[in-house]
Amino acid sequence: MKKTIEMKRRTFLVGAAAAGGGLALGLDLPFGAKVAQASAQGGPEVTAWVVIKPDDTVVIRIARSEMGQGTLTGLAQLVAEELECDWSKVTTEYPTPGQSVARKRVWGDFSTGGSRGIRESHEYVRKGGAAARTMLIQAAAGEWKVPVSECSAANSVITHAPSGRKTSYGKVAEAAAKLQPPADVPLKDPKDWKIAGKGVKRLDTVEKTNGKMIYGMDVVLPGMLNAAVKDCPVFGGKVKSFDAAKVSGMKGVKKVVKVDDSSVAVVADTWWHAKTALDALPIVWDEGPNAKVSSATIADYLKEGLDAEKAFVANKTGDSKAAIAGAAKKVEAVYAYPFQNHACMEPMNATVLYTADKCEVWTGTQNGEGAFAAAVQASELPAAKVDVHKIMLGGGFGRRGRSDYVIQAVKLAKQMPGTPIKMIWSREEDMLHGTYHPITQARMVGGLDDKGNLVGLHMRISGQSILASALPSRMGPDGRDPVTFQGLNPAGEFAFGYAIPNLTIDHAMRNTHVPPGFWRGVNVNQNCIYVECFMDELALAAGQDALAFRQKLMAKHPKNLAVLNAVAEKIGWGKPAPAGVHRGLAHFMAFGSYVAGAAEISVAKDGKEVKVHRIVGATDCGHAVNPAQIDRQVAGSFVYGLSALFMQECTVKDGRIVEQNFDTYDSMRIAQMPKVESIIMPSGGFWGGVGEPTICVAAPAVLNAYAAATGKRIRSFPLKNHGIALV
Amino acid sequence: MVELKVNGRAYQVDVEPETPLLWALRENVGLTGTKYGCGVAQCGACTVHVDGQPVRSCSLQVGDAVGKQITTIEGLAAGATMHKVQKAWIEHDVPQCGFCQSGMIMAAVALLKEKPKPTDADIDAAITNICRCGTFQQVRAAIHDAAKA
Ligand code: FES
Ligand code: FES
C-alpha cells in the first residue's frame, strides 16, 4: 500500500574532457565542459544548462532553489530567451551539488538567498542558452553544408533562408552536443526579449494543485524508517541522560538514538510512532549557562548598548552631535524589534541513506552546496561519495539556507547504516530551533532648525549580529557586521536614501545566545521601520507633510524618489482620503532594488483594531524578468511582513523560546489581507532583487498611517503586545 | 486494522484508532498530498473532506473516520479532468511554495459546495488557512472565478 516515490537519480558520466574544460571557479565558461552525456530525462546535453530531447523537449538545468519565489521559472525564461526555444516545450531539472563539484562547479553557486537567485546568475545562464543556440545552428548548417550566417533560429526551429530548409532543435541536438562551445557569445538587449520580461505562467503549478509535488517531507525510499528528534530546548544545552527502556517497547519503535551532544531521536516505522514515543521519552537536559536568560535580561543588555561609548560606524557625514546640540528642536525616540521565527509552512526535514561508502541526502535546501558540504563533514566521507538531491521546499525565507537539520539527519542516519532515515521536525521543534530574525533596538535622535529642516541625525543600533553567529568569516576586519547596516550605507546595494548634512549611523553589537539568521528581508525590516517611522516623527515635529519633508532630503537619490512619488501618487497622497481612512508612506533601498510602500488603514475600538485596506508597493529592480511573479512577491512579502508586525514574537524564558506553534505565533489569514497594488517600474541598467526588498516598506507605511489615525506612535513590536489586532 | 474509505477506495490500514487521520493518510495509505503544518488544527494544511465536510485531519482520530467517505487532494479530479477549483488555481497561478495549497484547495472546494457564489465575506469566514507565502490575493480571485465556472 505504501507508495514508493521513485526519486530521480541522475547519472552523469563525467568524462576526461571535463577535466580539460578550463572551468575554473570564475565561471568564465558558463556553458560548461564538453562531455558527451545524457540527462536523466534522455537526450544530449548541448551545454551544461541545456538538454534537448529528440522530441524537441528542452530541459533547462536550474542550480538555484525554488521555494515559492518563482526563481525556477525566471531562470528558465532567461535561458530560453537566448536559446530561442519553444517555451511550451520547456521543463526543468536540478543538477546535484555533487555533480557540480565533480564538474568543477559548472553550474556555479547553488545558494538561493539575499534575493540573488536571478540577479547574480542571469549573465552566465543566459550565456549557457546563447551558446547552445549557436551550437544548434552550427550543427544544422553543418548538416546542410551551408554557411552558419545564412541560418537563423526561432521557436526551436532552425531555418536556412536561401533554400527554405527547416529543422528542429531535437533533430540536431545530438550533433550540436559534439561541437565545441563558442568562446564567447553576445547576449540580447533586454528590450528585445520575448520570453524573459513577460509574465509567463510558473512551470511548477500543476503539481502544486493536485497533491503530486514531492516536498522533502514526502520523500519515501524503500525500507525507509522515520525519525522524530528533540534538541535541548535551551540553546547551548546538552543531553545529560535519557531512559530509552521506557519507550523502546512502544509500537513501531526501532531505536532510540543520541544524535549528538544536544539531541536525541526516536526511530520508528512511521513518524507518528516516532513522535509519540519521543514525547514519552524521559530526557534530562544539562541546560548550561543560558538557562537563566529571558526576554527582559536581553532587552536590558540591548538598552545598555544604546548609550555605549564603543560602536561600529557605518555612515558618517559632518558632525551630528554638534548639529543636534545646536538645533532649534531635538527629537528623540527609541524603537525595539523582537526575535522572530521563519515558520516555513513545511517544518525542517531531511532524508538520508548512509552506507560505509556512500551518503545520500534528499532535502529542501536553499543552499545545495552548503548542504553538500555539511553532509560531507557530518558523514566523514570523501566528497566524491556524498551527494544531495534537492527537493521542492515548502517555504524557505532564509531558514533553509542553514544546514543544521541536514547535519543532524546525517549524524542520525550514520548510526543506522544501510537504512534510509527520514527525519522530520515537529512544528514545535521547528519553532524552538530556528535561526531567528535578530533582535535589535535603535535610538534615533534628530535635530531640526527653526525652519523645520533636518540638520542632524544620529541612529544608534544596539543588538545582535547575524554574521557573528552564522558566518563569522564575512565580518569586517574590525569585527563589524555589515549586514546590520542594510539600507543605511553611504553607497552600494543597501544605500541610505537621504542626504542629511550631519549624520551618524552606528552599531553597538550585543549578541545573545539565541542564534540569529537571515529572515526574508533580513535587517532591512528593522532598519526601515526605525528610519521611516522616525522620518514621520521628524516631519510631525517640523509641522510638515511627511512626503514633502522626505522629498527635500532626497534630491541626490532620484531612484528612491521615483518609487516614493509613484506610491504617493497611486495612493492619492495630498488628496482627501475616504472617511475614517488614514495614510502612511515609506521607502528604502535593499538588495539592489528601490522600493516604496503606501498604506490606507482605518482603526476601530479606540485604536485596538486595525484594518489595512490597501497597500501600494513600488519596486525598481532594474530588470523585471517576470512581472507577474514580482507582483506575487510584493503581495506575498507584505503578508509575511505584516504578520511579523502585528502578531509575531519569539520570547525567551528560562533560556528557551516560549512560542511553539501557530496558536501563540499567529500568521495572517485571508480575512486580514489588504488589497495589494504593485507598481513594477524597472529603470534598466542594473539588476536588483525581488523576493525580499519590498517586504520592509509595509510595516512602516502601516505604522505611519496608524500614527496619523490615532496620534499614537508605536515603537515596540509586535503590535499584539499593545493589544492592537489586525482585522 | 481499520478500514478507511479514501477517494472511493477501501484501504486496510494497520494503525491504532487514536492515530491522527493525517498521519494515517500520509504514512499508511501513502497519500502525501495532504500536508502537516502544525498538528494542532491551526494552519489548515491538512484539510481533507470527511463525508463532504472540510476537516483538519491532524486533529481527527482515525477511529472517528472509519466508515466515512474521505476525500483528499488526490481524489479531487474526476479521472483526467481536474476540479474547477484546481483549474482556477492553475489559471491564476496561485501557488508559490505550494505547501499550504492542498489544504487551501480543499477548503475552497468545501466552501463552493456550501455557497456556490460566495461573497468576499463568505471567503473570509470559510478560508482560515495559513499561507506563509501570502497567496491570499490570488486565492480570493481564483475562488471567485471557480464560482463562475
Ligand atoms: S496540520 Fe492540521 S491544521 Fe495544521
Ligand atoms: S504557497 Fe507557500 S505557504 Fe502557501
Side-chain angles (χ1 to χ4, degrees), chain B residues 22 35-47 56-59:
Chain B
L22 167 66
K35 303 300 186 205
Y36 163 72
C38 71
V40 295
Q42 284 289 319
C43 73
C46 64
T47 304
R56 298 204 162 166
S57 65
C58 66
S59 303

Side-chain angles (χ1 to χ4, degrees), chain A residues 370-683:
Chain A
F372 176 75
V376 169
Q377 212 173 7
S379 67
E380 298 176 275
L381 288 174
K385 296 184 168 184
V386 175
D387 213 346
V388 172
H389 306 276
K390 297 199 303 174
I391 308 294
M392 182 61 70
L393 289 73
F397 310 116
R399 177 63 184 89
R400 285 189 158 91
R402 201 79 73 89
S403 300
D404 50 342
Y405 57 98
V406 175
I407 293 171
Q408 205 181 37
V410 171
K411 284 183 179 167
L412 174 50
K414 219 179 146 185
Q415 299 185 48
M416 300 187 75
T419 304
I421 308 285
K422 176 160 69 176
M423 179 202 77
I424 303 175
W425 285 8
S426 64
R427 172 60 63 196
E428 289 77 11
E429 188 67 12
D430 193 275
M431 288 296 294
L432 290 178
H433 291 286
T435 58
Y436 302 85
H437 202 197
I439 192 163
T440 66
Q441 297 184 5
R443 167 167 288 144
M444 311 292 296
V445 190
L448 298 165
D449 68 14
D450 53 4
K451 292 188 195 63
N453 294 310
L454 181 60
V455 291
L457 178 74
H458 180 199
M459 174 175 185
R460 160 62 60 89
I461 301 169
S462 171
Q464 207 172 9
S465 149
I466 297 176
L467 293 188
S469 163
L471 281 167
S473 63
R474 300 251 181 102
M475 296 178 82
D478 59 353
R480 75 176 54 219
D481 179 353
V483 173
T484 310
F485 298 109
Q486 286 179 336
L488 305 173
N489 294 316
E493 60 175 35
F494 290 97
F496 192 56
Y498 297 106
I500 299 169
N502 300 286
L503 174 73
T504 306
I505 299 177
D506 54 13
H507 174 213
M509 195 183 292
R510 294 293 180 273
N511 293 323
T512 78
H513 81 300
V514 178
F518 300 92
W519 188 104
R520 193 180 196 173
V522 196
N523 282 71
V524 158
N525 289 313
Q526 296 91 328
N527 293 344
C528 186
I529 288 180
Y530 303 155
V531 170
E532 287 298 283
C533 286
F534 192 62
M535 277 293 158
D536 261 43
E537 295 203 55
L538 289 167
L540 184 70
Q544 294 178 20
D545 170 75
L547 175 62
F549 184 80
R550 284 177 170 82
Q551 285 167 330
K552 283 193 295 183
L553 301 165
M554 294 174 71
K556 293 203 179 102
H557 298 275
K559 289 195 164 79
N560 297 67
L561 189 59
V563 286
L564 180 64
N565 285 340
V567 296
E569 193 190 327
K570 184 137 193 192
I571 204 87
W573 195 265
K575 295 190 192 115
V581 170
H582 300 269
R583 293 174 178 145
L585 294 164
H587 74 97
F588 226 50
M589 185 198 184
F591 305 92
S593 291
Y594 302 85
V595 295
E600 277 190 351
I601 73 161
S602 59
V603 300
K605 304 222 172 111
D606 198 24
K608 296 300 183 202
E609 282 186 3
V610 176
K611 178 81 204 159
V612 181
H613 302 282
R614 287 171 76 197
I615 307 188
V616 177
T619 175
D620 176 359
C621 47
H623 292 282
V625 174
N626 187 324
Q629 291 310 316
I630 296 174
D631 176 70
R632 285 158 174 77
Q633 286 304 298
V634 171
S637 74
F638 286 175
V639 172
Y640 207 71
L642 292 178
S643 295
L645 172 68
F646 279 88
M647 304 163 196
Q648 298 174 345
E649 176 177 27
C650 296
T651 56
V652 181
K653 190 169 174 268
D654 302 330
R656 70 200 78 197
I657 298 297
V658 175
E659 292 73 17
Q660 298 194 23
N661 211 318
F662 290 119
D663 50 352
T664 46
Y665 192 82
D666 206 355
S667 189
M668 256 172 88
R669 316 294 162 119
I670 202 168
Q672 296 158 312
M673 180 76 194
K675 178 165 182 254
V676 175
E677 299 159 50
S678 66
I679 306 172
I680 300 159
M681 39 190 288
S683 61

